[in-house]
Amino acid sequence: QVQLVESGGGLVQAGDSLRLSCAASGRTLTFYDMSWFRQAPGKGREFVATITRTGYTTRYGDSVKGRFTVSRDNSKNTVYLQMNALKPEDTAVYSCAARHYLKVDLEYDYWGQGTQVTVSS
């Protein structure tokens, strides 16, 4: 079992930056590709970013490309999401998720509880 705990959310103004963390316990993240998702009130879950287990490959949702950066430190069992130039439309609950790198289907194995990010205009 892997437990994922997000932190770093908060209330910021448009244009500010935040760095979210996703700390894992229970098992090493070395074997897991990691992703960030977000969900705004009244909307469905939106893909934000993903990073492969080695950190060599990343991919981003169109709405955050060029502003957000995903990274990981496997020695700390932690994944990060650096968010720059935040916009009010980035307001959402941000969650991290882990998927074993050998998994064929797209279902994630573990999810965190999420951290709230609120961007005021």
Side-chain angles (χ1 to χ4, degrees), residues 4 10 13 30-31 40 42 44 48-50 54-55 91 93 107 119 121:
L4 302 174
Q13 293 187 331
T30 306
F31 301 109
V48 175
T50 194
T54 60
T91 295
V93 174
E107 292 294 318
V119 185
S121 56

Side-chain angles (χ1 to χ4, degrees), residues 33-83:
D33 297 333
M34 298 296 296
S35 295
W36 287 94
F37 291 84
R38 67 186 183 186
Q39 188 162 16
K43 295 188 177 181
R45 183 184 292 157
E46 178 187 7
F47 168 76
V48 175
T50 194
I51 185 167
T52 54
R53 67 185 188 102
T54 60
Y56 290 158
T57 302
T58 58
R59 186 168 57 88
Y60 298 91
D62 289 341
S63 61
V64 306
K65 276 181 186 175
R67 299 187 298 123
F68 289 13
T69 303
V70 60
S71 61
R72 65 191 297 160
D73 185 343
N74 285 343
S75 69
K76 295 182 179 180
N77 234 23
T78 301
V79 179
Y80 305 97
L81 183 67
Q82 177 66 43
M83 306 186 294

